Amino acid sequence: MTTPTALATDEARTRLHELTVIDVRTPGEYAGGHLPGALNIPLDQIQRALPDIRHAADRGDVLVVCASGARSENACKILTENGVTAATLSGGTGAWAADGHELHRPQDVARATWGMERQVRLTAGVIVLLGLLLGVVVHPAFQLLSAGIAGGLVFSALTNTCGMAAMLAKLPHNRPRAADLDHTLAALRNR
């Protein structure tokens, strides 16, 4: 593979026709806007898709995309550990859109799910507030909920991982339907 570890948005745009683009965000995030031609294989489904991604990588360069670049970096690590070379899009779809490049949105989707980062912020905020409220009203020990979330956020920042995002990704609205993933894998095989 001749692709570097990360591609800037302008370089990715000029090479888009020759890249197999894999979007590792949740289906709802993907529906909210994705790179033209990108195939949605959520991060937690990468292992299942390995044979098809490996086949695509044998035919050409693979670009892995997410919202900001963190999940795509994790996906690239998984792929590298399994002998597949792939690059990530620097800054993800956020940088792509900020640089004025077009995002595609499926016509048949009624609404998009909030981005994972937004879901994490909401969930963390609700748990922190709940811990503080219960700590005042019920028992001070409930404030440990807030402390636990704060510790998790610090750990998340230091490791560039997010356990809460991994848990939220398992919710039904963030999961691909089996038929959708099968269709995506078939499209990947036929590229």
Side-chain angles (χ1 to χ4, degrees), residues 163-183:
M164 187 178 292
M167 289 172 47
L168 290 171
K170 298 194 181 308
L171 292 175
H173 68 275
N174 285 325
R175 307 282 307 151
R177 294 184 313 213
D180 291 343
L181 187 57
D182 291 340
H183 176 74

Side-chain angles (χ1 to χ4, degrees), residues 89-166:
L89 179 65
S90 296
T93 55
W96 180 271
D99 287 345
H101 305 308
E102 178 185 8
L103 290 174
H104 285 200
R105 289 172 178 81
Q107 300 296 335
D108 59 342
V109 175
R111 65 172 181 78
T113 301
W114 282 1
M116 187 55 66
E117 182 181 334
R118 188 174 180 190
Q119 291 180 51
V120 167
R121 288 192 316 251
L122 174 70
T123 304
V126 166
I127 294 172
V128 166
L129 288 174
L130 184 63
L132 292 173
L133 178 66
L134 291 173
V136 170
V137 175
V138 178
H139 191 278
F142 278 106
Q143 293 176 348
L144 291 174
L145 277 173
S146 301
I149 294 300
L153 291 171
V154 169
F155 180 79
S156 176
L158 293 174
T159 62
N160 199 26
T161 62
C162 186
M164 187 178 292

Side-chain angles (χ1 to χ4, degrees), residues 57-72:
D58 289 343
R59 294 187 316 261
D61 294 344
V62 173
L63 179 66
V64 182
V65 180
C66 69
S68 65
R71 283 179 277 178
S72 60

Side-chain angles (χ1 to χ4, degrees), residues 17-78:
H17 65 283
E18 66 188 53
L19 297 169
T20 297
V21 181
I22 298 171
D23 191 319
V24 295
R25 297 176 300 157
T26 66
E29 291 175 292
Y30 173 83
H34 56 271
L35 273 67
L39 299 171
N40 184 219
I41 303 173
L43 179 59
D44 64 348
Q45 299 293 317
I46 289 291
Q47 292 287 349
R48 176 179 172 199
L50 266 172
D52 297 313
I53 297 171
R54 184 175 292 114
H55 183 66
D58 289 343
R59 294 187 316 261
D61 294 344
V62 173
L63 179 66
V64 182
V65 180
C66 69
S68 65
R71 283 179 277 178
S72 60
E73 286 179 16
N74 290 336
C76 284
K77 287 177 189 171
I78 292 169

